[in-house]
Amino acid sequence: MSPAPRLVVLLLVARIAASQTLSNAGRNFTVVFPENIAYYYPSDARNKIWVTALHNDTSVMVSSANSQLNAGQTKSFTVTQELGRLTINETNASDPFKVFNISDKTVHITSNKDIIVQAISSKGRSTQSVLVIPTTKLSNKYFIPPVPEIEGTTSGASPVANVTERAPFRLIIVNPNELKASVTIKGGEEISIDIESGSAAQIWVKNDNKTWYVEANKGVAVFFSHPCAVQHQCTCGLLHAMVPPAKNNTMRFPIPPVLDQPVSILRSDKETRERITFGSSSAVVESAGTAIVYWPGLLLTLVPVEEFGSCFVVQFIEGKENILIIVVNKNHQQGIHIGNDPLEGAEWQELKGTEYSSTNRSISSTTVVWHAAANMTVYQIYKQNDTWFGNPAAVISANPDFRGCVSTPEVTKILQEAESWQESIRSCKNQTLDLISLPSEALQKQTCQNLRGNDAKQVWIGTRRSSLTGDWYWLDESDFNNTNWAGSEPGDVSEGQCAVMSLEGDGDCGWKDRNCCEDARPLCYAAPQILQIN
Ligand SMILES: *[C@@H]1O[C@H](CO)[C@@H](O)[C@H](O)[C@H]1NC(C)=O
Ligand SMILES: *[C@@H]1O[C@H](CO)[C@@H](O)[C@H](O)[C@H]1NC(C)=O
Ligand SMILES: *[C@@H]1O[C@H](CO)[C@@H](O)[C@H](O)[C@H]1NC(C)=O
Ligand SMILES: *[C@@H]1O[C@H](CO)[C@@H](O)[C@H](O)[C@H]1NC(C)=O
Ligand SMILES: *[C@@H]1O[C@H](CO)[C@@H](O)[C@H](O)[C@H]1NC(C)=O
Ligand SMILES: *[C@@H]1O[C@H](CO)[C@@H](O)[C@H](O)[C@H]1NC(C)=O
Ligand SMILES: *[C@@H]1O[C@H](CO)[C@@H](O)[C@H](O)[C@H]1NC(C)=O
Ligand SMILES: *[C@@H]1O[C@H](CO)[C@@H](O)[C@H](O)[C@H]1NC(C)=O
Ligand SMILES: *[C@@H]1O[C@H](CO)[C@@H](O)[C@H](O)[C@H]1NC(C)=O
Ligand SMILES: *[C@@H]1O[C@H](CO)[C@@H](O)[C@H](O)[C@H]1NC(C)=O
Ligand SMILES: *[C@@H]1O[C@H](CO)[C@@H](O)[C@H](O)[C@H]1NC(C)=O
């Protein structure tokens, strides 16, 4: 057998695997809130977990390794909506924050199907939100961001594991594993700690120019946090962000114009750890670690181009101004949708020195944001009185699709064995797929695009004509209106009652009628699942 067919399968697997790697969805999460030890802060912590189900009938369990939480005992919730938004009970939807009062504990969330998780913390007038990385995507290496310059918060102490009030920035390191994790902070004077299963440790971050990093013998979660950073006029504000794992390669992070302000960028990797004042010649920063936008009150983790996706869930928070910021290649400003509506009348701003552009939009409900043909990134930021907070929107997938926000990608698969049209139907069925029907021009184009570079020359598609009337039919019973016949095709009935699609050259995948008993490889298909939020 020629090696070529094997290649097809590999490419397909790679495509699906890539989208799953990028997604923020998972079934196992551990959350920690900005700890609650700064008691002089004169109000209770109000913390909340948002769980968004991507599939129907999702059971979600929220539990804690430490039973001292006021809420969050092991409980099971069944989410029956396509997109269920789950507020942990013992609460009240119109009073959304009073969930986990004691917050220096970890909270474990598991589910039987993919979910996304956001954690929101509030104290006094200050609120922070993080998009929680699923346990399976945690890493054992993180570069520690530089510390923003905030008066009264950066004392320049050595990193120590006993954190007290009015302390510098800290890392909160969480061990979600069943076994103890050994964690070492490296870069200068090393310190090592063991973290018990389900526990969190806090470590001060030294404000120097050394490239500090966290290394663990297991995947751990790392939060960069301050419980009481002075915002203005002596007010206390939370700062809390999840540190993204160290990356193997240098990546490019386009910087959207956030708030029209000269924000700073906290950048760290193994080469440098620095605060960059943004606003100069180029709206892009490179890093193999972290790049975080800082503006008083706001820590916004940037997303590198390599991790752009095509479908996002944007969470609406009641009582705040909700803004989403989109960054996309300037050639792909068309095709963006918010819910079911195309994004119209957007004012685009080019990001200097890059091929990217950015726009923003306010929203009034939780929604999906998706691109029909390209990848992009979306940030959600919120304004509460005069301070901002926010995080990257949850990526659901990186499979642009003209039908909407893909939660489970479509499957397009050319089987290896060439066989008759009838046999092809069966062979596809054996893989729980269907011989493809291509009733719409958009699907024809997308399929052709996805199969570009494929080695197969001609593949069976799911159409056949009546020998009595000569009319063509799709196997899935869609109307046969939008056709893509090649050149002078189709011929008359005597030339054949089935059809192949040609994948030769850079062609447009035109169809040709064929004798159904000839052999060709089947093109099998399963439609994607589209996530909708109403
Ligand atoms: C989920 O349930 C809704 C309402 O019952 C239904 O309309 C929708 O098709 C279901 N979605 C999936 C992916 O099964
Ligand atoms: C949670 O609260 C909702 C509304 O108050 C209620 O309908 C539901 O049964 C509760 N679920 C559990 C598991 O207690
Ligand atoms: C939920 O909170 C609102 C406003 O705080 C209150 O009016 C309502 O009675 C509460 N409902 C329950 C079931 O506690
Ligand atoms: C939070 O916990 C503290 C101490 O246990 C308690 O005094 C306070 O009433 C709690 N607040 C809420 C909103 O449950
Ligand atoms: C916002 O400011 C107003 C008055 O300036 C105040 O009454 C309100 O409590 C503030 N809201 C929050 C969430 O801090
Ligand atoms: C914190 O740790 C340092 C050494 O790392 C020690 O000298 C100090 O006494 C500790 N403080 C507390 C409050 O435990
Ligand atoms: C969640 O992940 C942790 C760490 O990998 C593992 O110990 C635990 O068993 C997982 N829980 C579930 C329900 O998968
Ligand atoms: C870090 O480096 C910058 C410039 O290289 C210097 O101005 C600054 O003083 C250094 N900070 C510390 C804490 O060493
Ligand atoms: C980086 O490379 C290591 C070793 O090849 C691999 O285990 C890890 O998954 C990679 N990390 C990322 C983020 O790609
Ligand atoms: C949204 O875009 C407008 C116009 O570019 C800009 O003035 C505004 O500051 C942006 N809003 C945010 C929150 O970044
Ligand atoms: C979107 O991103 C994924 C993952 O990086 C990639 O496999 C896919 O080809 C991209 N799609 C487009 C249209 O750029």
Side-chain angles (χ1 to χ4, degrees), residues 257-260 323 325 347 349 360 381 388:
V258 183
L259 320 178
D260 273 344
I323 307 274
I325 300 175
E347 258 181 55
Q349 197 166 332
N360 68 43
I381 61 173
W388 292 85

Side-chain angles (χ1 to χ4, degrees), residues 418-421 458 460 495 500 514-520:
E419 53 195 357
S420 74
W421 187 84
Q458 299 200 328
W460 283 127
E495 282 181 31
V500 291
R514 267 299 135 79
N515 183 327
C516 304
C517 296
E518 284 178 22
D519 286 343

Side-chain angles (χ1 to χ4, degrees), residues 60-76:
V60 179
M61 289 224 302
V62 180
S63 71
S64 168
N66 185 315
S67 58
Q68 286 173 44
L69 286 176
N70 290 356
Q73 293 88 5
T74 300
K75 274 186 188 171
S76 179

Side-chain angles (χ1 to χ4, degrees), residues 36 39 44-46 70 98 101-102:
N36 205 359
Y39 283 124
D44 287 334
R46 292 169 297 151
N70 290 356
K98 285 188 177 157
N101 181 10
I102 299 170

Side-chain angles (χ1 to χ4, degrees), residues 266-457:
L266 311 177
R267 176 190 171 287
S268 61
D269 62 13
K270 65 175 187 293
E271 308 295 336
T272 44
R273 174 164 175 253
E274 56 184 350
R275 287 182 297 270
I276 304 168
T277 301
F278 167 64
S280 47
S281 58
S282 173
V284 66
V285 61
E286 293 194 347
S287 171
T290 306
I292 300 174
V293 165
Y294 171 72
W295 175 253
L298 175 70
L299 285 175
L300 184 64
T301 310
L302 291 174
V303 177
V305 170
E306 291 79 357
E307 294 176 5
F308 278 20
S310 60
C311 162
F312 302 80
V313 169
V314 179
Q315 179 73 54
F316 177 76
I317 303 183
E318 199 74 46
K320 322 239 183 275
E321 197 178 325
N322 288 244
I323 307 274
L324 59 86
I325 300 175
I326 298 172
V327 177
V328 69
N329 185 299
K330 54 192 174 201
N331 299 324
H332 295 295
Q333 290 166 355
Q334 299 299 318
I336 298 171
H337 295 71
I338 298 180
N340 293 324
D341 303 323
L343 174 68
E344 273 164 0
E347 258 181 55
W348 290 96
Q349 197 166 332
E350 287 197 8
L351 308 189
K352 257 191 271 173
T354 76
E355 61 277 33
Y356 295 93
S357 56
S358 169
T359 191
N360 68 43
R361 189 51 59 108
S362 63
I363 54 162
S364 52
S365 63
T366 296
T367 183
V368 288
V369 179
W370 54 279
H371 201 301
N375 291 322
M376 60 180 176
T377 199
V378 177
Y379 300 97
Q380 53 197 36
I381 61 173
Y382 308 95
K383 188 180 187 186
Q384 169 177 288
N385 281 354
D386 47 1
T387 59
W388 292 85
F389 62 96
N391 55 270
V395 184
I396 306 305
S397 60
N399 296 79
D401 194 294
F402 66 93
R403 286 158 288 200
C405 177
V406 169
S407 56
T408 307
E410 66 178 5
V411 179
T412 310
K413 187 171 181 181
I414 300 174
L415 300 187
Q416 303 197 13
E417 209 65 47
E419 53 195 357
S420 74
W421 187 84
Q422 275 303 344
E423 285 164 342
S424 292
I425 295 177
R426 255 198 314 277
S427 297
C428 288
K429 278 270 181 309
N430 284 343
Q431 307 218 3
T432 60
L433 299 169
D434 292 312
L435 191 61
I436 195 167
S437 292
L438 294 164
S440 74
E441 195 185 333
L443 183 59
Q444 292 158 15
K445 284 205 165 128
Q446 184 167 297
T447 306
C448 191
Q449 182 72 35
N450 287 344
L451 295 175
R452 194 146 284 165
N454 199 286
D455 66 302
K457 291 194 170 63

